[in-house]
Amino acid sequence: MSDRDRLIYLPLGGAGEIGMNCYVYGYGRQGAERLILVDIGVSFPDMDGQPGVDLILPDIDWLAERADRLDGIFITHAHEDHVGALGHLYRQLKAPVFAREFTAYHARRKMEEAGQDPDLVQVVGAYPEVAEAGPFQVQFAPISHSIPEASALVIDTPGGRIVHSGDFKIDHEPVVGEPFDEDLWTQVGQDGVRALICDSTNVFSGHPGRSESQLAEPIGALVAGAKGMVVATTFASNVARLKTLAEAGKSAGRTICLMGRAMKRMVTAAVETGVLTDFPATVSPEEATDIPRENLMLLVTGSQGERRAASAALSRGSYLGHELKEGDMFLFSSKTIPGNEVSVARIQNALAEQGVKVVDESAGFYHVSGHANRPDLEAMHDLIRPQILVPNHGEYRHLREHARVGIEKGLHGVIAPNGTMVELSGNQPGPVEFIEVGRTYLDGTAHVGAFDGVIRDRMKLALNGLVIVALVVDEDDQILEDSWVALRGLPEMVGDGADLAEMIEDELAEILPRLDDRTVGNDDKLEEAIKRTARQICVTEIGKKPEVTVLVSRLMAG
Amino acid sequence: MSDRDRLIYLPLGGAGEIGMNCYVYGYGRQGAERLILVDIGVSFPDMDGQPGVDLILPDIDWLAERADRLDGIFITHAHEDHVGALGHLYRQLKAPVFAREFTAYHARRKMEEAGQDPDLVQVVGAYPEVAEAGPFQVQFAPISHSIPEASALVIDTPGGRIVHSGDFKIDHEPVVGEPFDEDLWTQVGQDGVRALICDSTNVFSGHPGRSESQLAEPIGALVAGAKGMVVATTFASNVARLKTLAEAGKSAGRTICLMGRAMKRMVTAAVETGVLTDFPATVSPEEATDIPRENLMLLVTGSQGERRAASAALSRGSYLGHELKEGDMFLFSSKTIPGNEVSVARIQNALAEQGVKVVDESAGFYHVSGHANRPDLEAMHDLIRPQILVPNHGEYRHLREHARVGIEKGLHGVIAPNGTMVELSGNQPGPVEFIEVGRTYLDGTAHVGAFDGVIRDRMKLALNGLVIVALVVDEDDQILEDSWVALRGLPEMVGDGADLAEMIEDELAEILPRLDDRTVGNDDKLEEAIKRTARQICVTEIGKKPEVTVLVSRLMAG
């Protein structure tokens, strides 16, 4: 262990994946660094990889073991992949939380929902206001993104200045919130920046990004030309988009109605915290039932095809008294996140079956991304002029490409996926240690490790089906009666109409009496014999090797 | 029942979805029509909807009940979604199968693999050769697509001519196989076409489609500029693309090596049936290990991220003696089918981690679709000039949009999703009957109906986990000993370190002795009481309501 102080960066989530952002910075002597955490978000599970799981949380074991050295938690913005795990994991961290007002509003709700004290979240004003946390001086520098008050962090340490970009795009007319401010970033860069930790999401997009303000005209024209009811969906947190949509509706003489809890909550938060002004008047879904459909515009949740959101409900039939029909229009003013294509198509098809005209971003006019494209990333590099570039917020291929782009410009690019501790100080900045980090599943109220085998077991049940065998062994290790078999997720009848469970029971009735005492007396051996028999019959009869669970009830001597 | 003869169309698969194509045509008196089947394909299952299922087959119950009236099965081309179910379902149909030579090659293999006689597949030459099947005279008219010998069917009946487009694009230089032939289609249209049943896949693409031949230049340039090993993947059946890729490799001085069974099989079939000539010489993977990487090009299976294909194997490490490394290039000359995005990204990230440069179709240069875009569909309408347009091969939104396009041009457009029997004859052609059609799952060797509940049960296990309770009741309806509990897909330990199964056992030990005789004597009531208890504990301890299976072993007197 060295005597000198060092400056470190350690992604626990968000680097090598898109989602679950969770980044540690440290300054001090090796092994005794004071630490801060930037963001603590979630990822969303799917049936393919995490069936039944409610949320995916970062694995913060490394940090929890060093919680006594944690001086603060900083939240860059209120997206779920940046703040969603705060409440669930706070108990293990217990450090003060810092955020700007709109973000703090959401962070407090996360704390409350998890039974934590919301007052532990402190509001920090925008740059140049400074929040102190141990050796770190942190400023929330406004930066344009797809949610109000998104901030990059300017983190000053005795080891130099770090700029943590957070999610951002370069937008000079973001409709809601602060425009991208070249002067601010030039100023931040002028003092010398040791490292830029930078959003990589859109590094493969070669054209400059488009401004949120460019949507007003095409969306306005689309809504103005609509005849029946107009419904539009986008991310609830994209308050600027909601405003653009609502204004398009208002200009077309339509009354605006918000549907879906998340959407109402976001607009309320934006109005209460003052980031959203002049939002057109809205009516409740109940009030809206009195308004002729050609004068109505619904803004609804569910742009990603979520089964329980308003979009899905409307696609299935009526929702809160509203029903779509021939001549209505449904606008997806959103990008479909990879993995959600099938769910979104399901809703679009159901809408088409109702005769609704579906318009989505494939036309290229009705959505802009919240992330910087490659030319915009390069512009940011040029403004900040960091010595070191560490790409984050991206899958491995994004990190690699972003590092390549930086290296071509003469920056010191470092690829650091989750668990890679990078020393940012010293003459040879780069990876110094690899921490094993997994993911934690929130499953109901339980925290289940991704490697615990619980979810893997569920997937095995889903893929293979299950045979359950129960039998009773008496005091003298004699099997009593016949065993009982139940099936889950397997066909009851086989090809020729025979009952599969009975076939297994019959075969076990043949086999079990022939087992020797040593096998019957030993749970493992008995189980193994039963499993083999059950599987063999299934392979023969249905061409499938199922999971088998054996329950042996051993009667105790009186 | 009417006396007059009628001409009907009934999609059993492929209309209202992309995949599983299966279309019935009939001619004759109502209820006594003679029938033919066009295509009998599969869809591919996923964890999200059909965990553990091997293939999705169309539900042909309606046709199987009328198999005595089936005069022939016609296969338009050799893609799995058109021929994949032939072997699995043939036993229920038993009619002669007709196809062109390359397609017949694959159809015969499908028959053989399912234990059917491959000689039941008859080869038919291209238009104007005629295959007779009852009142139907069928001609296989060559049409360009992404597999050799794709054909539209020109079906003449006493009720008029039908053109069944099959999958097609308008390609005048398809690299392999016959170019799109305007003269042929003009001729087909001149005799008067009652109905065009037409591919709708790309109806939302507004620009004219690009020719396969346009890929030679960009792919050639890409491969010529590569330094290390070059690997390319595409659909194995896209023989033209394989040729383009192989020729690009050859021009760059590289030796070509095919990897993956499907790819070798396709090229062999194409060479043996004479559709593919002048394919560059290839070496085996073993021979290829002696060739310097900069002189080698691998053509591999797995463009959709399939876990067991060559692409995935290479992304995970070495495969057949080959290993990728920094400086190599991997080209996805393919479109990612919706739903496969995450699997493909997984492979691309793993390749990026090896330092491999990944190039995919997002650049827009290295793939063209095999389906007609909207302007090309309109060109086809104009060539054929049918009275009726029935869109097929599309999700509902595609069918609807395609019908709209046709109606705007003055055609009689009919939207007919799976199960919609359409009368094509008479003065008012349109839907006349709705047949309930589901889907059949091939699960191991068993055929499981989509509504049977088997797969639904598997999904419930995956989402909720399972508690299994076994207990023994004696001859006098007394519960013997304590019940035994096993868990599957649930955490063994709850928050405070207690054992969840034991907690349930303990609670049952409390509850069960208090149950009255009527409850214990009745399996349903006893089960219900046990389920309630087990669920209650799980909700309290892990916030989850699991599936519960109860096995009661009732000891018999004597």
Side-chain angles (χ1 to χ4, degrees):
Chain A
M1 195 179 292
S2 148
D3 243 15
R4 71 180 176 82
D5 290 333
R6 64 177 191 172
L7 178 61
I8 58 169
Y9 161 75
L10 170 63
L12 298 176
E17 68 194 328
I18 293 182
M20 206 176 86
N21 293 279
C22 191
Y23 307 98
V24 177
Y25 292 93
Y27 184 78
R29 264 182 311 154
Q30 184 175 335
E33 297 89 351
R34 299 303 302 182
L35 307 170
I36 59 170
L37 180 64
V38 175
D39 290 337
I40 181 160
V42 296
S43 279
F44 295 97
D46 57 36
M47 183 71 187
D48 204 42
Q50 304 86 20
V53 168
D54 295 283
L55 284 174
I56 305 175
L57 313 174
D59 166 4
I60 58 159
D61 282 356
W62 185 92
L63 187 60
E65 287 163 18
R66 294 158 180 81
D68 58 319
R69 293 201 258 131
L70 182 64
D71 290 318
I73 301 171
F74 295 81
I75 311 293
T76 59
H77 63 285
H79 276 149
E80 290 295 323
D81 59 332
H82 292 261
V83 70
L86 178 64
H88 299 295
L89 297 177
Y90 189 78
R91 201 165 39 87
Q92 299 171 65
L93 299 177
K94 294 205 170 85
V97 180
F98 301 94
R100 291 177 69 196
E101 190 171 358
F102 177 81
T103 310
Y105 184 103
H106 293 282
R108 284 176 176 148
R109 197 168 49 79
K110 295 286 169 200
M111 293 288 275
E112 258 176 346
E113 286 171 359
Q116 303 293 337
D117 179 4
D119 290 341
L120 295 168
V121 179
Q122 303 175 31
V123 172
V124 183
Y127 176 98
E129 192 170 320
V130 176
E132 307 260 357
F136 300 92
Q137 298 187 301
V138 182
Q139 298 169 86
F140 286 79
I143 199 160
S144 39
H145 182 41
S146 51
I147 189 169
E149 281 191 358
S151 303
L153 301 182
V154 178
I155 306 172
D156 287 313
T157 77
R161 170 168 282 190
I162 295 163
V163 175
H164 182 101
S165 79
D167 295 6
F168 81 103
K169 67 184 290 189
I170 295 185
D171 193 337
H172 297 103
E173 292 180 85
V175 180
V176 169
E178 300 105 334
F180 188 86
D181 182 352
E182 261 86 1
D183 292 345
L184 185 157
W185 295 110
T186 305
Q187 195 183 333
V188 165
Q190 260 164 4
D191 302 337
V193 171
R194 181 64 181 163
L196 170 64
I197 282 69
C198 192
D199 183 357
S200 309
T201 315
N202 281 1
V203 69
F204 287 109
S205 298
H207 54 88
R210 293 181 302 148
S211 166
E212 186 68 29
S213 61
Q214 286 179 259
L215 296 177
E217 197 184 311
I219 290 179
L222 184 71
V223 176
K227 302 274 180 275
M229 180 140 46
V230 173
V231 188
T233 183
T234 189
F235 277 104
S237 57
N238 195 335
V239 175
R241 185 69 47 80
L242 292 177
K243 191 174 182 189
T244 300
L245 291 166
E247 283 178 349
K250 190 182 168 194
S251 297
R254 290 172 182 270
T255 302
I256 309 303
C257 170
L258 301 177
M259 270 190 191
R261 265 185 313 167
M263 199 153 278
K264 280 179 281 187
R265 193 194 296 137
M266 271 292 165
V267 171
T268 304
V271 170
E272 281 186 16
T273 56
V275 300
L276 180 63
T277 51
D278 305 324
F279 194 82
T282 62
V283 296
S284 72
E286 297 69 35
E287 291 164 335
T289 55
D290 294 333
I291 297 172
R293 59 200 310 110
E294 63 273 16
N295 297 337
L296 191 60
M297 181 169 184
L298 312 180
L299 300 184
V300 306
T301 51
S303 66
Q304 298 305 308
E306 301 92 329
R307 272 168 205 259
R308 284 180 291 190
S311 286
L314 283 168
S315 80
R316 285 190 299 258
S318 87
Y319 181 60
L320 300 178
H322 295 269
E323 197 163 331
L324 300 189
K325 63 179 196 186
E326 183 82 37
D328 293 341
M329 183 180 76
F330 200 113
L331 171 62
F332 284 78
S333 181
S334 52
K335 175 184 184 266
T336 301
I337 293 174
N340 296 342
E341 289 82 0
V342 174
S343 309
V344 170
R346 188 182 295 126
I347 288 178
Q348 294 188 342
N349 281 311
L351 292 169
E353 286 197 51
Q354 295 172 17
V356 174
K357 180 180 175 182
V358 176
V359 179
D360 65 21
E361 54 100 40
S362 62
F365 303 128
Y366 308 117
H367 176 67
V368 296
S369 171
H371 295 273
N373 290 357
R374 197 185 64 224
D376 307 317
L377 293 172
E378 294 190 67
M380 189 68 175
H381 302 165
D382 293 344
L383 287 166
I384 304 283
R385 288 175 299 132
Q387 292 167 11
I388 304 167
L389 170 69
V390 190
N392 74 346
H393 206 284
E395 298 172 8
Y396 194 95
R397 61 199 168 114
H398 301 103
L399 306 185
R400 183 169 188 271
E401 178 69 6
H402 192 177
R404 192 192 63 72
V405 168
I407 289 165
E408 274 190 4
K409 299 174 73 79
L411 305 181
H412 183 81
V414 178
I415 301 178
N418 293 342
T420 311
M421 186 190 288
V422 176
E423 180 173 346
L424 299 171
S425 46
N427 295 327
Q428 292 191 304
V432 288
E433 196 180 335
F434 295 93
I435 316 296
E436 194 160 316
V437 293
R439 316 168 99 189
T440 300
Y441 298 145
L442 181 70
D443 185 51
T445 53
H447 288 201
V448 176
F451 304 132
D452 288 4
V454 173
I455 306 304
R456 205 182 145 74
D457 195 38
R458 268 186 223 163
M459 291 174 77
K460 283 200 243 168
L461 296 176
L463 292 170
N464 307 324
L466 176 67
V467 174
I468 306 165
V469 181
L471 76 172
V472 185
V473 178
D474 73 8
E475 304 86 323
D476 305 320
D477 284 349
Q478 296 300 307
I479 295 171
L480 280 182
E481 312 276 330
D482 290 338
S483 58
W484 284 48
V485 171
L487 307 177
R488 294 298 306 251
L490 291 172
E492 285 174 26
M493 299 294 167
V494 298
D496 50 3
D499 183 300
L500 181 57
E502 278 178 18
M503 290 181 78
I504 299 171
E505 285 174 354
D506 291 349
E507 184 69 14
L508 288 173
E510 293 281 320
I511 301 279
L512 293 180
R514 288 191 236 140
L515 294 178
D516 58 33
D517 288 356
R518 244 190 12 193
T519 303
V520 177
N522 178 309
D523 277 354
D524 289 345
K525 285 186 182 162
L526 182 56
E527 253 191 48
E528 201 38 53
I530 291 170
K531 282 187 183 177
R532 202 166 41 234
T533 302
R535 287 210 173 111
Q536 205 167 18
I537 290 176
C538 289
V539 167
T540 307
E541 295 298 326
I542 57 170
K544 224 174 152 81
K545 209 173 190 172
E547 300 296 303
V548 183
T549 290
V550 181
L551 286 99
V552 181
S553 302
R554 290 188 186 270
L555 301 182
M556 304 295 174
Chain B
M1 195 179 288
S2 147
D3 242 15
R4 72 181 174 83
D5 290 333
R6 64 177 193 171
L7 177 61
I8 57 168
Y9 161 74
L10 170 62
L12 297 176
E17 68 195 328
I18 293 182
M20 205 175 85
N21 293 277
C22 192
Y23 308 98
V24 177
Y25 292 93
Y27 184 79
R29 265 184 309 156
Q30 184 176 333
E33 296 90 351
R34 299 303 303 181
L35 307 170
I36 58 170
L37 180 65
V38 174
D39 289 339
I40 181 161
V42 295
S43 279
F44 295 97
D46 56 36
M47 183 71 186
D48 203 40
Q50 304 86 21
V53 168
D54 295 281
L55 283 175
I56 305 175
L57 313 174
D59 166 3
I60 58 159
D61 283 356
W62 185 93
L63 187 60
E65 286 164 16
R66 293 158 180 81
D68 57 321
R69 294 200 258 133
L70 182 64
D71 290 317
I73 300 170
F74 294 82
I75 310 293
T76 59
H77 63 285
H79 276 149
E80 290 295 323
D81 60 332
H82 293 260
V83 71
L86 178 65
H88 299 295
L89 298 177
Y90 190 79
R91 201 166 39 86
Q92 300 171 63
L93 299 176
K94 294 207 171 83
V97 180
F98 301 94
R100 290 176 71 195
E101 189 171 0
F102 177 80
T103 309
Y105 185 102
H106 294 282
R108 285 176 175 148
R109 198 169 47 78
K110 295 288 170 198
M111 293 287 276
E112 258 175 347
E113 287 171 359
Q116 303 292 337
D117 178 5
D119 290 340
L120 295 169
V121 180
Q122 302 174 31
V123 172
V124 183
Y127 176 98
E129 193 171 318
V130 176
E132 306 260 358
F136 300 92
Q137 298 187 301
V138 182
Q139 298 170 86
F140 286 80
I143 200 160
S144 38
H145 182 42
S146 51
I147 189 169
E149 280 192 358
S151 302
L153 300 182
V154 179
I155 306 172
D156 286 313
T157 77
R161 171 168 281 188
I162 296 162
V163 175
H164 182 101
S165 79
D167 295 6
F168 81 102
K169 68 184 289 190
I170 294 184
D171 193 336
H172 297 103
E173 293 181 84
V175 180
V176 168
E178 301 104 333
F180 187 85
D181 182 352
E182 261 86 1
D183 292 344
L184 184 157
W185 295 111
T186 304
Q187 195 184 333
V188 165
Q190 260 164 3
D191 302 337
V193 171
R194 182 62 181 165
L196 170 64
I197 282 69
C198 192
D199 183 357
S200 309
T201 316
N202 280 2
V203 68
F204 287 109
S205 299
H207 53 88
R210 293 181 302 149
S211 167
E212 186 68 29
S213 61
Q214 286 178 260
L215 296 177
E217 198 183 310
I219 290 178
L222 183 72
V223 175
K227 301 274 179 276
M229 178 137 50
V230 174
V231 188
T233 183
T234 188
F235 278 102
S237 58
N238 195 336
V239 174
R241 186 69 47 80
L242 292 177
K243 191 175 181 187
T244 300
L245 291 165
E247 282 178 349
K250 190 183 167 192
S251 297
R254 290 172 183 269
T255 301
I256 309 302
C257 170
L258 301 177
M259 269 188 191
R261 266 184 313 164
M263 199 154 277
K264 279 178 281 186
R265 194 194 296 139
M266 272 291 165
V267 170
T268 304
V271 170
E272 282 187 16
T273 57
V275 299
L276 180 63
T277 52
D278 306 324
F279 194 82
T282 62
V283 296
S284 71
E286 296 70 36
E287 290 163 338
T289 54
D290 294 333
I291 298 171
R293 59 197 315 108
E294 63 274 17
N295 296 338
L296 191 60
M297 180 168 183
L298 311 180
L299 300 184
V300 306
T301 52
S303 66
Q304 298 304 311
E306 302 92 330
R307 274 169 204 259
R308 285 180 292 189
S311 287
L314 283 167
S315 80
R316 286 190 297 259
S318 87
Y319 181 60
L320 300 178
H322 296 270
E323 199 164 329
L324 300 188
K325 63 179 197 185
E326 183 83 38
D328 292 342
M329 183 181 76
F330 201 113
L331 171 62
F332 285 78
S333 181
S334 52
K335 174 186 185 263
T336 301
I337 293 175
N340 296 341
E341 289 81 0
V342 174
S343 309
V344 170
R346 187 182 297 125
I347 288 178
Q348 294 188 343
N349 281 310
L351 291 169
E353 286 195 51
Q354 295 171 19
V356 174
K357 180 179 175 184
V358 175
V359 180
D360 65 21
E361 53 100 41
S362 63
F365 304 128
Y366 308 116
H367 175 67
V368 296
S369 171
H371 294 272
N373 290 358
R374 198 185 62 224
D376 307 317
L377 292 172
E378 295 189 67
M380 190 68 176
H381 301 165
D382 293 343
L383 286 167
I384 304 283
R385 290 176 298 132
Q387 292 167 12
I388 305 166
L389 170 69
V390 189
N392 73 346
H393 207 285
E395 298 172 8
Y396 194 95
R397 61 200 168 114
H398 301 103
L399 305 185
R400 183 169 188 270
E401 178 69 5
H402 192 176
R404 193 191 64 71
V405 168
I407 289 166
E408 274 190 5
K409 300 174 72 77
L411 305 181
H412 183 81
V414 177
I415 301 177
N418 293 343
T420 310
M421 186 190 290
V422 177
E423 181 173 345
L424 299 172
S425 45
N427 296 327
Q428 292 191 305
V432 288
E433 197 180 334
F434 295 94
I435 316 296
E436 194 159 316
V437 294
R439 317 169 98 189
T440 301
Y441 298 145
L442 181 71
D443 185 51
T445 53
H447 287 200
V448 176
F451 304 134
D452 288 4
V454 173
I455 306 304
R456 205 182 146 74
D457 194 39
R458 269 188 221 159
M459 291 174 76
K460 284 200 244 167
L461 296 175
L463 292 170
N464 307 324
L466 177 68
V467 175
I468 306 166
V469 181
L471 77 171
V472 185
V473 178
D474 73 7
E475 304 88 321
D476 305 320
D477 284 348
Q478 297 298 310
I479 295 171
L480 280 183
E481 311 277 332
D482 290 339
S483 57
W484 285 47
V485 171
L487 307 177
R488 293 297 306 253
L490 291 171
E492 285 173 26
M493 300 294 168
V494 299
D496 50 4
D499 183 300
L500 181 57
E502 278 177 18
M503 291 182 78
I504 298 170
E505 286 174 352
D506 291 350
E507 184 69 14
L508 287 173
E510 292 280 322
I511 300 282
L512 292 180
R514 289 191 235 138
L515 295 178
D516 58 35
D517 287 356
R518 245 190 10 192
T519 304
V520 176
N522 177 310
D523 277 355
D524 290 346
K525 285 186 181 161
L526 181 56
E527 254 192 47
E528 202 36 55
I530 291 169
K531 282 186 182 177
R532 204 169 37 236
T533 303
R535 287 211 172 110
Q536 205 167 18
I537 291 175
C538 289
V539 167
T540 307
E541 296 299 326
I542 58 170
K544 224 174 154 78
K545 209 173 191 172
E547 299 296 303
V548 183
T549 291
V550 180
L551 286 99
V552 181
S553 304
R554 289 188 187 270
L555 301 183
M556 304 296 175

